[in-house]
Amino acid sequence: MKEIQLPEFKMAYSDQGEGRPLVLVHGYPLNRKLWRRQVDGLQDAARVLAPDLRGHGDSGATPGVYTMDLLADDLKAFLDGVGITQPVTLCGLSMGGYVTFAFYRRYPERVENLILTATRAAADTPEVKANRSQAMQRARLEGIEAIIDGMLPRLVTAQTAARHPELVDELRAIMRHTSLEAVLGDLEGMRERADSTSTLEQIRVPTLVIHGAQDVIVPLAEAQAMQAAIPGAQLVVIENAGHLPNLEQTEAFNRAIQDFIE
Ligand code: MLT
C-alpha cells in the first residue's frame, strides 16, 4: 500500500506496473481491494492505480456529504499528487462510474479512455432516493454491518456465492473496512448526484462499457442504453456475473480491458 497526503485526508492506493496509467475507481461501500485481481492481472499492460476513496479502506475519513464532484476532485488531486499529468484510462465500477462521469465533466483533458462497469448514467429515482435515506438511518442506528448484510446477497450471483463462498467472505471483509462517515457520505452523495444521461452524447474519448449479465443492482439495460448513447462505445457483457464482474469472472473482465487499452 502507498499513501499520499491530500488537502483534507491521507489517501491510500495501489500502484503497480509501468506504462500508460489505468485508474480503477471502486464502488460503494468497497475499496481498492475490489481491484486486487486487476492490479495483479493488468500490470503488464499498464501502470495500474487503484485508490481508496476518502473514508474507504485505508484512506482517511471526513464527515459530510461525499458528492460525486468531491470524489472526482479527490481523484484529480491524487493524480496531481503522484505526478500523473498525462490523460489516463479511467475505469469506474458502479458508484465509481458516477464519479467517473463527474471527473470527465470536470477534467476531460485528463481522460484518454473511459471504462464504465456495472454503472448507470441516470440519477436516482424518487424510490431509490427514499431507500438511500432509509439506509442512512439504518447505518446510524445499527452500524455498517446492517448495510453489509443488506448488500452482500445482491452483489454477486447466487451461483458465484454457492461456488465461491471465499469470495463472499472477502467482500464482507472489504466492506467492513468502510467508515460510517463514508457510508453516510456516499449514500447522501449518490442520492443527490446529477443525472449523467446528457453527458453520454458529449463523450469524445474511446469508451468501453462492461456489464455482468445478471447484475441485479444495475440491470443490463442501463449498460445497453449507455453504449447506444456514447458515440462509438463498445459493450462487453460478461456472462455468469452479477454486480462485480471483475471479481466473479476475472479472466473475461481483464481480457476485455486488455483488448480495449491495447
Ligand atoms: C455501488 O455498487 O457502488 C452502489 O451499489 C451503487 C448504487 O447504490 O447506486
Side-chain angles (χ1 to χ4, degrees), residues 58-74:
D58 296 303
S59 284
T62 56
V65 190
Y66 290 14
T67 65
M68 302 303 109
D69 286 348
L70 177 76
L71 299 176
D73 287 352
D74 288 346

PDB file of all heavy atoms in Angstrom, residues 58-74:
ATOM      1  N   ASP A  58      -8.158   2.146   3.580  1.00  0.00           N
ATOM      2  CA  ASP A  58      -7.125   2.754   4.417  1.00  0.00           C
ATOM      3  C   ASP A  58      -7.039   4.267   4.260  1.00  0.00           C
ATOM      4  O   ASP A  58      -6.122   4.882   4.798  1.00  0.00           O
ATOM      5  CB  ASP A  58      -5.768   2.115   4.085  1.00  0.00           C
ATOM      6  CG  ASP A  58      -5.756   0.627   4.442  1.00  0.00           C
ATOM      7  OD1 ASP A  58      -6.017   0.307   5.616  1.00  0.00           O
ATOM      8  OD2 ASP A  58      -5.528  -0.216   3.548  1.00  0.00           O
ATOM      9  N   SER A  59      -7.944   4.865   3.487  1.00  0.00           N
ATOM     10  CA  SER A  59      -7.920   6.324   3.349  1.00  0.00           C
ATOM     11  C   SER A  59      -8.630   6.985   4.531  1.00  0.00           C
ATOM     12  O   SER A  59      -9.584   6.424   5.087  1.00  0.00           O
ATOM     13  CB  SER A  59      -8.614   6.766   2.051  1.00  0.00           C
ATOM     14  OG  SER A  59      -7.781   6.527   0.944  1.00  0.00           O
ATOM     15  N   GLY A  60      -8.178   8.172   4.874  1.00  0.00           N
ATOM     16  CA  GLY A  60      -8.790   8.896   5.982  1.00  0.00           C
ATOM     17  C   GLY A  60     -10.227   9.307   5.665  1.00  0.00           C
ATOM     18  O   GLY A  60     -10.575   9.519   4.503  1.00  0.00           O
ATOM     19  N   ALA A  61     -11.038   9.395   6.731  1.00  0.00           N
ATOM     20  CA  ALA A  61     -12.454   9.768   6.552  1.00  0.00           C
ATOM     21  C   ALA A  61     -12.654  11.222   6.943  1.00  0.00           C
ATOM     22  O   ALA A  61     -11.919  11.766   7.762  1.00  0.00           O
ATOM     23  CB  ALA A  61     -13.337   8.874   7.412  1.00  0.00           C
ATOM     24  N   THR A  62     -13.663  11.834   6.340  1.00  0.00           N
ATOM     25  CA  THR A  62     -14.094  13.166   6.757  1.00  0.00           C
ATOM     26  C   THR A  62     -15.611  13.094   6.898  1.00  0.00           C
ATOM     27  O   THR A  62     -16.255  12.297   6.211  1.00  0.00           O
ATOM     28  CB  THR A  62     -13.764  14.223   5.675  1.00  0.00           C
ATOM     29  OG1 THR A  62     -14.370  13.808   4.437  1.00  0.00           O
ATOM     30  CG2 THR A  62     -12.265  14.382   5.469  1.00  0.00           C
ATOM     31  N   PRO A  63     -16.205  13.900   7.765  1.00  0.00           N
ATOM     32  CA  PRO A  63     -17.673  13.907   7.854  1.00  0.00           C
ATOM     33  C   PRO A  63     -18.256  14.691   6.672  1.00  0.00           C
ATOM     34  O   PRO A  63     -17.528  15.393   5.977  1.00  0.00           O
ATOM     35  CB  PRO A  63     -17.942  14.628   9.177  1.00  0.00           C
ATOM     36  CG  PRO A  63     -16.737  15.484   9.403  1.00  0.00           C
ATOM     37  CD  PRO A  63     -15.566  14.803   8.724  1.00  0.00           C
ATOM     38  N   GLY A  64     -19.559  14.543   6.457  1.00  0.00           N
ATOM     39  CA  GLY A  64     -20.220  15.350   5.425  1.00  0.00           C
ATOM     40  C   GLY A  64     -20.577  14.539   4.195  1.00  0.00           C
ATOM     41  O   GLY A  64     -20.350  13.335   4.133  1.00  0.00           O
ATOM     42  N   VAL A  65     -21.163  15.247   3.224  1.00  0.00           N
ATOM     43  CA  VAL A  65     -21.662  14.589   2.009  1.00  0.00           C
ATOM     44  C   VAL A  65     -20.507  14.306   1.065  1.00  0.00           C
ATOM     45  O   VAL A  65     -19.723  15.211   0.764  1.00  0.00           O
ATOM     46  CB  VAL A  65     -22.658  15.505   1.248  1.00  0.00           C
ATOM     47  CG1 VAL A  65     -23.352  14.714   0.144  1.00  0.00           C
ATOM     48  CG2 VAL A  65     -23.660  16.120   2.191  1.00  0.00           C
ATOM     49  N   TYR A  66     -20.413  13.094   0.586  1.00  0.00           N
ATOM     50  CA  TYR A  66     -19.381  12.755  -0.404  1.00  0.00           C
ATOM     51  C   TYR A  66     -20.016  12.902  -1.794  1.00  0.00           C
ATOM     52  O   TYR A  66     -20.440  11.911  -2.415  1.00  0.00           O
ATOM     53  CB  TYR A  66     -18.874  11.335  -0.201  1.00  0.00           C
ATOM     54  CG  TYR A  66     -18.037  11.087   1.042  1.00  0.00           C
ATOM     55  CD1 TYR A  66     -17.980  12.011   2.088  1.00  0.00           C
ATOM     56  CD2 TYR A  66     -17.292   9.919   1.182  1.00  0.00           C
ATOM     57  CE1 TYR A  66     -17.203  11.777   3.225  1.00  0.00           C
ATOM     58  CE2 TYR A  66     -16.514   9.680   2.305  1.00  0.00           C
ATOM     59  CZ  TYR A  66     -16.478  10.608   3.328  1.00  0.00           C
ATOM     60  OH  TYR A  66     -15.711  10.362   4.444  1.00  0.00           O
ATOM     61  N   THR A  67     -20.077  14.127  -2.276  1.00  0.00           N
ATOM     62  CA  THR A  67     -20.674  14.311  -3.603  1.00  0.00           C
ATOM     63  C   THR A  67     -19.765  13.671  -4.648  1.00  0.00           C
ATOM     64  O   THR A  67     -18.556  13.508  -4.424  1.00  0.00           O
ATOM     65  CB  THR A  67     -20.842  15.808  -3.948  1.00  0.00           C
ATOM     66  OG1 THR A  67     -19.549  16.405  -4.037  1.00  0.00           O
ATOM     67  CG2 THR A  67     -21.676  16.542  -2.908  1.00  0.00           C
ATOM     68  N   MET A  68     -20.349  13.339  -5.788  1.00  0.00           N
ATOM     69  CA  MET A  68     -19.549  12.717  -6.845  1.00  0.00           C
ATOM     70  C   MET A  68     -18.487  13.706  -7.325  1.00  0.00           C
ATOM     71  O   MET A  68     -17.377  13.313  -7.683  1.00  0.00           O
ATOM     72  CB  MET A  68     -20.442  12.238  -8.000  1.00  0.00           C
ATOM     73  CG  MET A  68     -21.521  11.222  -7.575  1.00  0.00           C
ATOM     74  SD  MET A  68     -20.886   9.722  -6.778  1.00  0.00           S
ATOM     75  CE  MET A  68     -21.417   9.962  -5.063  1.00  0.00           C
ATOM     76  N   ASP A  69     -18.827  15.008  -7.281  1.00  0.00           N
ATOM     77  CA  ASP A  69     -17.848  16.034  -7.665  1.00  0.00           C
ATOM     78  C   ASP A  69     -16.680  16.077  -6.674  1.00  0.00           C
ATOM     79  O   ASP A  69     -15.523  16.225  -7.068  1.00  0.00           O
ATOM     80  CB  ASP A  69     -18.506  17.417  -7.734  1.00  0.00           C
ATOM     81  CG  ASP A  69     -19.390  17.578  -8.966  1.00  0.00           C
ATOM     82  OD1 ASP A  69     -19.328  16.724  -9.876  1.00  0.00           O
ATOM     83  OD2 ASP A  69     -20.146  18.567  -9.017  1.00  0.00           O
ATOM     84  N   LEU A  70     -17.007  15.944  -5.399  1.00  0.00           N
ATOM     85  CA  LEU A  70     -15.947  15.952  -4.380  1.00  0.00           C
ATOM     86  C   LEU A  70     -15.005  14.766  -4.595  1.00  0.00           C
ATOM     87  O   LEU A  70     -13.773  14.906  -4.576  1.00  0.00           O
ATOM     88  CB  LEU A  70     -16.585  15.863  -2.984  1.00  0.00           C
ATOM     89  CG  LEU A  70     -15.611  15.793  -1.808  1.00  0.00           C
ATOM     90  CD1 LEU A  70     -15.004  17.167  -1.529  1.00  0.00           C
ATOM     91  CD2 LEU A  70     -16.305  15.281  -0.544  1.00  0.00           C
ATOM     92  N   LEU A  71     -15.587  13.592  -4.836  1.00  0.00           N
ATOM     93  CA  LEU A  71     -14.761  12.390  -5.030  1.00  0.00           C
ATOM     94  C   LEU A  71     -13.956  12.501  -6.326  1.00  0.00           C
ATOM     95  O   LEU A  71     -12.815  12.035  -6.403  1.00  0.00           O
ATOM     96  CB  LEU A  71     -15.641  11.122  -5.011  1.00  0.00           C
ATOM     97  CG  LEU A  71     -16.399  10.895  -3.685  1.00  0.00           C
ATOM     98  CD1 LEU A  71     -17.322   9.674  -3.797  1.00  0.00           C
ATOM     99  CD2 LEU A  71     -15.450  10.717  -2.502  1.00  0.00           C
ATOM    100  N   ALA A  72     -14.546  13.157  -7.349  1.00  0.00           N
ATOM    101  CA  ALA A  72     -13.805  13.376  -8.604  1.00  0.00           C
ATOM    102  C   ALA A  72     -12.641  14.346  -8.360  1.00  0.00           C
ATOM    103  O   ALA A  72     -11.535  14.146  -8.880  1.00  0.00           O
ATOM    104  CB  ALA A  72     -14.748  13.922  -9.677  1.00  0.00           C
ATOM    105  N   ASP A  73     -12.882  15.372  -7.544  1.00  0.00           N
ATOM    106  CA  ASP A  73     -11.795  16.319  -7.232  1.00  0.00           C
ATOM    107  C   ASP A  73     -10.687  15.616  -6.439  1.00  0.00           C
ATOM    108  O   ASP A  73      -9.502  15.927  -6.616  1.00  0.00           O
ATOM    109  CB  ASP A  73     -12.335  17.518  -6.442  1.00  0.00           C
ATOM    110  CG  ASP A  73     -13.149  18.463  -7.328  1.00  0.00           C
ATOM    111  OD1 ASP A  73     -13.152  18.268  -8.568  1.00  0.00           O
ATOM    112  OD2 ASP A  73     -13.791  19.380  -6.785  1.00  0.00           O
ATOM    113  N   ASP A  74     -11.076  14.682  -5.572  1.00  0.00           N
ATOM    114  CA  ASP A  74     -10.056  13.903  -4.849  1.00  0.00           C
ATOM    115  C   ASP A  74      -9.183  13.125  -5.841  1.00  0.00           C
ATOM    116  O   ASP A  74      -7.967  13.042  -5.684  1.00  0.00           O
ATOM    117  CB  ASP A  74     -10.710  12.896  -3.888  1.00  0.00           C
ATOM    118  CG  ASP A  74     -11.341  13.560  -2.664  1.00  0.00           C
ATOM    119  OD1 ASP A  74     -11.063  14.750  -2.411  1.00  0.00           O
ATOM    120  OD2 ASP A  74     -12.114  12.872  -1.957  1.00  0.00           O
TER     121      ASP A  74
END
